[in-house]
Amino acid sequence: MTRLIARLGLRPRLVTASLLALAIAVFFGGAMAALAGARRSSTAIDRLLASSPPEDVFVVPEEGSSVDMNRVLALPQVLASAYEAYLAMVSVGPDGRPEVENAGKINPYLYQPITGPPGAVNRLRIVRGRDLDPKAPLDVVIDEELAAERHLSVGSKLVMATYSSDQAESVFGNESSGAEDPLPEGPVLDLDVVGIARMPVDIHPGDEDHTTSFGGTKDIYLTPALLERYGDRITVYGAPAPDAPRGVRLVHGLADLDAFRTGVRALPGGDGVIIDVSDSDALGSALLAGDAVGVETAALAALAALLAVTGVTLVGHALARMARSATAELSVLRALGLRPVELLLVAAAPGLAAVALGAVASVVVAYAGSAFTPIGLAREAEVAPGAHVDRVVFGTGALALLVLVGGLALLSARPAALSVAARRRSLPPRRTGLADRLASWGAPLGPTLGARFASSREARDRGAPLRSAMVAIAVAIVVLVGVVTFTSSLRKLSGSPAAQGAAWDLAIGNINLSDYGPDDFARLGADPNIDGVAAVAAPQGRGSIEGRDVTIVGLETVSGGVGPRMLTGRLADGVGEVVLGHRTAARLGRGVGDRVRLSYGDSEQEAEVVGTALLGPGIAPALRIGEGVLVSVAEMRTLATDQPVNFLLARVKPGVSVDRAVAALQPDWGRNVARPVLAADVVNLRRVRGIPVALALALGLAAAILLAAALVLSVRQGRLDIAVLRAVGATGPQLASALTWQALWLYGAAALVALPLGTLAGRVAWRRVAEGVGALVPPVLPPGDVWLIVGGGLVAVALMVVLPALLAARQRPSVALRTE
């Protein structure tokens, strides 16, 4: 009997079932691929850091310290350690001239292991070629950015001119002034490119928005043999020496920090060791990229949900239509004696077969689609790119597909089987309220018939998915309006440095090399383009407030009232006063008049909160919007002795172009004159803003396709209504008008509900995003964009009506009336 049921149910609908299985594979396989990609994206940064782990802390013996560093590195909390040297070099151009103007644009690093297993700290992740040979002095591995910019590949030559050891004091001399860079006097190295690497420091939003602590994003990696051969002839920062910093990786990461610090302090001379927990460039880049990856992960998860919901909607209607199309055969089988359960199985057999075949095919599609995920920064961070089997997603997804969609196939077949078994007759059509009202008001034929077609029960009962099309249109409009609100608000935030905590026009300096004094303040303030100046003392390390990790920066307004936007209170004006970023204040539960405990390194003191402000990276690169602590420069120097003023902030005079001011200042102040740095969180959002736009457009396209399918099906299934209308004299244009109005009623009902919901959803979504990045920009929804969405929908509706109108015009009334 089972074989007979399968043959009776499947044979007439084999082609339809095969096409349905293909649709299931595409929609649900794509959903599984997107969900697996989201899971893969969410761990990409962590896996990259595990593959190329950066140091957790820097250990620096103070001058004159008697500590035995070998005993420090032998503490049980230490997994591995390395010297991290930076060599003073500039590239040599094709003409053989050292490109002094590009000093600092390429970062030459040398990681020399001291203790621990090989590759435990900053292991190079080679994507092409091979790793460095520690005994080959001229081997070099370069990053992908440098390879792309200079068209270098494995086997190429990279010529670098070095600064001699006698030039240590003058290297990059124009970081604090406009003095010309000296020509390098050290050896010229003809380096062999043996590999191309992708390190955590390379995973960042973009060249124009991201810099390492040395100012460039393009890195090269050199061998210990080079240092052995040329080290005494080249300026090297951090060269192996008793007082040189060590990069240390702890066994359990920063969880071991307190125990490690206690162990160091217990050693003879341990009080003379600085334990710097500031983020390395690698870790800082990876953490910033993590914010963008979070958006990418959410986008993939949303895509998975969109594909799954769309698939359920379309497949559900296809299953229902397939079951209804078997009504005549079921009547014959019922007359032959088949029981209701057997009728149900016959009606559901094509759908169940399609689901089973589609479940298997969806896993194949998901595996093939996994090669295209992760996306964006997560794809760059992925250590194992290519197709990937996610057993959890694929297994659970296939099982859920069999259970849920298989159950949907049975539910879709049940009405047809019960109708035949009970010999039910069709219910009389219900009156359609809107059409009746329009007719009573004397409305034209087109709107009246369109309202009847859009709301009649017969159209739904015959399988035209009008209600689903209306819901899909509403969802698409909600998402489109929400995305427009998001992108418009983001455009306002990203285009306004002041909204990111930088209420000035220029920033001058380098966090590593600049050291400005009162003469520099006066010289900048006297410039004819400048209207106000502030001085910033920004250490590389991080401190804490009330035990919470935080960036502490010293700021002093020199002239013109240059400073951050104050939300409450005033700026710190001496020792013992602090200003909190508004997010930091909220997290601490502190406000003006409260006292807090500040610490930096081994220094600690109490201070009074005198204000809250909108802080951001325009003050110092380590700050994030709304987070951090501002103190006076004098206070900063009590916490970090000899901390230099390494940034000057300036506001240009009204009517002066910022670009003109930059060009005018650079000859006297060097290359580190630029607009304020954009917030990394904003850069991350801007980088992935195309993802929600693409998802919204995809959803709009899916809604348009569903509407077109519903209109075509309503024409095919409503042949009798159309034949009657043609028989009583309705013309082709009148039928086209009725179908157009049918689509307009559906679209109008959807838009009426969706526009306010979309506005609300967009505002709520943006407020959550703004709170997440610390911004105070309210949501923005330009009316023109709303009208563009509505108008675009109307154009799409007009296009969707063309095909069903042609089908209706070509129907022959006599054939339809005879067959029906």
Side-chain angles (χ1 to χ4, degrees):
M1 179 60 71
T2 303
R3 185 177 301 175
L4 175 62
I5 290 174
R7 185 163 61 247
L8 290 173
L10 279 175
R11 180 175 292 176
R13 296 168 189 83
L14 187 59
V15 174
T16 304
S18 300
L19 293 175
L20 182 57
L22 178 61
I24 290 172
V26 170
F27 280 104
F28 294 99
M32 285 192 283
L35 185 57
R39 279 169 44 88
R40 203 174 173 191
S41 297
S42 66
T43 61
I45 297 295
D46 291 337
R47 287 183 284 113
L48 175 65
L49 292 175
S51 173
S52 302
E55 65 284 335
D56 294 307
V57 296
F58 288 98
V59 179
V60 187
E62 290 184 327
E63 186 176 354
S65 173
S66 61
V67 70
D68 183 350
M69 288 301 296
N70 291 327
R71 295 185 63 183
V72 171
L73 301 181
L75 289 171
Q77 296 81 25
V78 176
L79 174 65
S81 61
Y83 292 111
E84 300 191 4
Y86 185 90
L87 288 73
M89 299 180 174
V90 295
S91 56
V92 175
D95 58 358
R97 182 185 63 84
E99 297 174 325
V100 177
E101 66 278 6
N102 290 329
K105 296 296 180 65
I106 297 176
N107 296 307
Y109 291 117
L110 187 151
Y111 301 133
Q112 184 165 325
I114 305 173
T115 62
V121 179
N122 290 310
R123 181 175 68 85
L124 294 179
R125 179 190 167 200
I126 305 297
V127 294
R128 290 190 292 278
R130 63 170 175 84
D131 204 343
L132 296 168
D133 180 354
K135 298 180 180 179
L138 297 181
D139 273 8
V140 65
V141 168
I142 65 177
D143 69 9
E144 293 175 299
E145 292 179 80
L146 182 60
E149 181 188 73
R150 305 240 170 171
H151 307 290
L152 299 172
S153 59
V154 176
S156 298
K157 293 287 187 179
L158 177 65
V159 184
M160 300 290 290
T162 66
Y163 288 89
S164 71
S165 55
D166 294 334
Q167 294 180 285
E169 298 298 325
S170 58
V171 172
F172 307 152
N174 71 342
E175 298 298 338
S176 298
S177 69
E180 292 185 2
D181 287 312
L183 288 173
E185 298 174 359
V188 176
L189 306 178
D190 199 8
L191 302 172
D192 299 311
V193 178
V194 299
I196 298 175
R198 185 184 301 168
M199 299 287 283
V201 74
D202 299 317
I203 311 302
H204 56 75
D207 284 352
E208 73 280 10
D209 303 301
H210 171 86
T211 60
T212 67
S213 60
F214 287 91
T217 63
K218 299 167 184 65
D219 305 322
I220 65 175
Y221 304 96
L222 305 165
T223 72
L226 182 141
L227 197 62
E228 293 174 9
R229 178 178 297 185
Y230 299 103
D232 59 343
R233 302 165 57 190
I234 300 176
T235 292
V236 181
Y237 300 99
D243 59 348
R246 277 79 158 173
V248 173
R249 184 181 174 204
L250 303 176
V251 175
H252 300 105
L254 292 181
D256 284 340
L257 178 60
D258 290 340
F260 175 66
R261 182 180 282 123
T262 300
V264 172
R265 298 291 180 254
L267 296 174
D271 290 338
V273 175
I274 298 173
I275 300 174
D276 185 358
V277 295
S278 61
D279 294 341
S280 66
D281 291 333
L283 183 59
S285 295
L287 293 177
L288 291 178
D291 295 334
V293 169
V295 179
E296 295 165 359
T297 300
L300 284 172
L303 176 60
L306 169 63
L307 289 172
V309 171
T310 305
V312 167
T313 302
L314 296 180
V315 170
H317 281 289
L319 289 169
R321 290 192 64 247
M322 191 183 300
R324 281 193 292 268
S325 68
T327 302
E329 297 163 9
L330 292 177
S331 299
V332 174
L333 294 174
R334 176 60 174 168
L336 294 175
L338 263 66
R339 293 173 298 175
V341 172
E342 293 168 339
L343 293 175
L344 175 63
L345 293 177
V346 170
L352 292 174
V355 171
L357 182 60
V360 175
S362 66
V363 174
V364 177
V365 171
Y367 176 74
S370 67
F372 300 98
T373 60
I375 59 176
L377 284 182
R379 190 174 186 84
E380 295 179 21
E382 178 58 47
V383 297
H388 172 71
V389 176
D390 188 322
R391 291 182 176 86
V392 174
V393 172
F394 291 2
T396 305
L399 180 61
L401 177 58
L402 287 172
V403 174
L404 297 179
V405 184
L408 186 60
L410 290 171
L411 290 175
S412 300
R414 186 171 179 271
L418 291 178
S419 176
V420 171
R423 300 182 181 275
R424 295 179 181 175
R425 293 179 299 174
S426 299
L427 294 174
R430 294 188 301 178
R431 295 173 63 83
T432 52
L434 178 60
D436 289 342
R437 288 189 179 90
L438 290 173
S440 65
W441 295 339
L445 181 64
T448 304
L449 285 177
R452 183 180 185 282
F453 289 163
S455 59
S456 67
R457 177 172 178 173
E458 297 96 313
R460 298 195 298 271
D461 289 343
R462 287 193 294 258
L466 299 178
R467 185 176 297 173
S468 297
M470 186 170 64
V471 171
I473 293 169
V475 171
I477 293 175
V478 168
V479 174
L480 283 167
V481 172
V483 168
V484 165
T485 301
F486 172 81
T487 54
S488 299
S489 305
L490 178 58
R491 191 182 309 117
K492 181 178 179 180
L493 174 61
S494 61
S496 172
Q500 301 176 45
W504 45 89
D505 302 303
L506 299 174
I508 303 173
N510 180 290
I511 196 170
N512 295 281
L513 303 173
S514 299
D515 186 359
Y516 300 109
D519 292 343
D520 298 304
F521 308 162
R523 181 162 61 97
L524 181 60
D527 189 281
N529 297 302
I530 299 304
D531 194 38
V533 176
V536 174
Q540 291 192 38
R542 291 170 67 84
S544 67
I545 180 169
E546 294 297 313
R548 293 174 179 260
D549 187 47
V550 72
T551 298
I552 303 176
V553 175
L555 184 141
E556 176 184 331
T557 297
V558 177
S559 62
V562 174
R565 172 187 165 191
M566 299 302 298
L567 303 176
T568 61
R570 58 175 175 82
L571 279 174
D573 193 29
V575 176
E577 297 181 344
V578 299
V579 171
L580 305 181
H582 64 276
R583 297 180 76 189
T584 300
R587 288 172 181 169
L588 293 173
R590 298 290 196 276
V592 175
D594 293 331
R595 298 195 67 79
V596 293
R597 179 170 47 86
L598 286 177
S599 64
Y600 185 89
D602 294 328
S603 301
E604 184 173 319
Q605 64 185 52
E606 283 197 354
E608 180 184 355
V609 178
V610 297
T612 60
L614 177 61
L615 308 183
I619 300 174
L623 288 174
R624 301 178 71 176
I625 299 179
E627 296 185 357
V629 173
L630 278 191
V631 298
S632 66
V633 172
E635 175 82 87
M636 191 71 250
R637 286 172 171 165
T638 65
L639 293 169
T641 307
D642 299 327
Q643 169 63 42
V645 170
N646 39 21
F647 290 106
L648 297 178
L649 311 178
R651 184 176 59 240
V652 301
K653 290 183 177 179
V656 176
S657 162
V658 175
D659 290 336
R660 192 184 83 184
V662 170
L665 289 169
Q666 282 182 337
D668 292 332
W669 292 90
R671 59 179 165 270
N672 288 305
V673 180
R675 293 175 180 268
V677 175
L678 291 176
D681 290 332
V682 177
V683 175
N684 286 335
L685 288 172
R686 194 177 64 186
R687 191 178 191 275
V688 298
R689 67 186 182 275
I691 295 175
V693 173
L695 287 177
L697 293 177
L699 184 57
L701 178 61
I705 293 173
L706 185 58
L707 175 61
L711 293 175
V712 170
L713 287 173
S714 69
V715 170
R716 292 186 59 187
Q717 300 298 331
R719 291 189 299 270
L720 181 59
D721 291 339
I722 294 174
V724 171
L725 289 171
R726 293 296 301 273
V728 298
T731 63
Q734 287 176 321
L735 289 176
S737 173
L739 291 172
T740 301
W741 274 101
Q742 177 188 15
L744 288 175
W745 285 121
L746 294 172
Y747 178 78
L752 187 64
V753 175
L755 285 174
L757 286 179
T759 303
L760 177 62
R763 293 177 68 86
V764 171
W766 174 251
R767 288 190 187 281
R768 293 197 62 176
V769 169
E771 289 174 3
V773 301
L776 300 177
V777 173
V780 176
L781 179 59
D785 290 344
V786 175
W787 287 113
L788 182 63
I789 292 172
V790 174
L794 290 173
V795 172
V797 166
L799 294 176
M800 294 302 103
V801 171
V802 173
L803 179 58
L806 290 175
L807 292 175
R810 290 182 179 181
Q811 286 187 13
R812 297 175 61 186
S814 58
V815 174
L817 291 171
R818 185 169 59 252
T819 55
E820 292 291 335

